[in-house]
Amino acid sequence: KKQALKGAPSGSLFLAEQQTCGKGRLGRSWVSPPGTGMWFSVLLRPEVLPRNIAATTLLAGTAVCGAVREVTGCDVKIKWPKDIVAGTRKISGILTEMNVTKGCAEFAVVGIGVNVNSTAFPEELRDKATSIFLETGRPVRRIALLQEILRRLELLLKENACGLGASFLEQYKADCVSLGRQVGFRHGGVLMTGTAVDISPEGELIVRLPDGSLQTVLSGEVNIQGFYGSSMTP
């Protein structure tokens, strides 16, 4: 973000071998030991951001998911909207932060963390996190994976510049592990549960409530029972 404010161009890439204060959604810490994973951010300015800026994280998640499968053979899925999971444990997280001036997006920073060659996690994370190495038993050449993620992200941004296309949504739904499952979320401060049934053209999660009505979830914590060692309480 500091480099963006100094005028760094769209598409600028920033990588770290280690993060000492890595963070995820809601300020949670992200464990990123040296030399084992990929911790990087991509700067995007309005000329490349999709019309629906909120969809940027879905596009990034799809890029990561496809690249991990292509390069490593690891069977990963997407937990809406953009967590990449192997089974019920997280392998990659994405955090998109916007800088808005006078109601218009000046730039977005897409931060991506991928647990690539990690061999172990702290005890409190073992039910929540995994790595490509732990899932496949094979080390991964990180630069090849990074190149494929960036290639896919650039292509998806171009293809969905005017909105999420039908082909993208079809692929996203096929990869989304949230659909068809019982989920818990908060709406207006109230805990609600239901079955995730669809993804809207804007990338929102559509949940069928116990009374049969549909609730659109725009953002926020959506929990799936059994994922990340969680119950249905967000």
Side-chain angles (χ1 to χ4, degrees):
K1 286 189 288 185
K2 289 180 181 178
Q3 292 302 314
L5 293 170
K6 292 179 181 179
S10 188
S12 295
L13 174 68
F14 304 88
L15 304 97
E17 274 291 341
Q18 180 183 17
Q19 293 179 120
T20 55
C21 295
K23 69 173 183 176
R25 181 172 167 75
L26 303 178
R28 296 188 182 109
S29 62
W30 182 274
V31 177
S32 43
T36 62
M38 294 193 308
W39 334 114
F40 64 98
S41 294
V42 182
L43 171 62
L44 301 176
R45 293 194 179 274
E47 62 266 25
V48 299
L49 285 169
R51 182 180 298 172
N52 176 10
I53 297 176
T56 304
T57 51
L58 276 73
L59 298 172
T62 300
V64 174
C65 185
V68 169
R69 285 181 182 165
E70 175 71 22
V71 175
T72 75
C74 186
D75 184 19
V76 290
K77 297 282 189 179
I78 303 172
K79 176 182 173 288
W80 184 89
K82 38 62 180 176
D83 285 355
I84 309 304
V85 298
T88 61
R89 294 185 293 175
K90 192 170 181 177
I91 217 166
S92 172
I94 298 168
L95 180 64
T96 300
E97 297 181 303
M98 304 284 180
N99 196 74
V100 178
T101 303
K102 296 181 179 179
C104 297
E106 185 178 357
F107 61 81
V109 176
V110 182
I112 300 175
V114 185
N115 299 327
V116 182
N117 293 320
S118 306
T119 58
F121 290 90
E123 185 174 354
E124 66 271 18
L125 294 178
R126 288 172 190 167
D127 290 337
K128 304 176 182 179
T130 188
S131 70
I132 298 172
F133 176 81
L134 290 174
E135 295 300 313
T136 65
R138 300 185 301 273
V140 176
R141 184 169 173 261
R142 290 179 294 163
I143 189 65
L145 180 57
L146 175 64
Q147 289 171 330
E148 184 62 14
I149 290 173
L150 295 174
R151 185 190 72 80
R152 287 173 179 260
L153 178 58
E154 182 177 24
L155 183 61
L156 287 169
L157 287 168
K158 289 179 179 178
E159 291 178 341
N160 298 275
C162 296
L164 297 178
S167 60
F168 171 81
L169 285 169
E170 181 180 357
Q171 182 62 55
Y172 185 89
K173 292 176 188 180
D175 291 338
C176 184
V177 74
S178 304
L179 295 181
R181 294 178 180 266
Q182 289 290 306
V183 299
F185 61 97
R186 290 191 179 275
H187 179 70
V190 178
L191 173 63
M192 306 179 76
T193 60
T195 303
V197 294
D198 204 357
I199 304 294
S200 78
E202 288 71 40
E204 306 148 328
L205 185 67
I206 299 176
V207 179
R208 188 179 303 280
L209 302 179
D211 64 4
S213 62
L214 298 177
Q215 176 66 52
T216 299
V217 183
L218 305 176
S219 61
E221 279 300 278
V222 174
N223 282 355
I224 306 175
Q225 190 168 17
F227 275 66
Y228 311 159
S230 69
S231 66
M232 293 295 290
T233 304

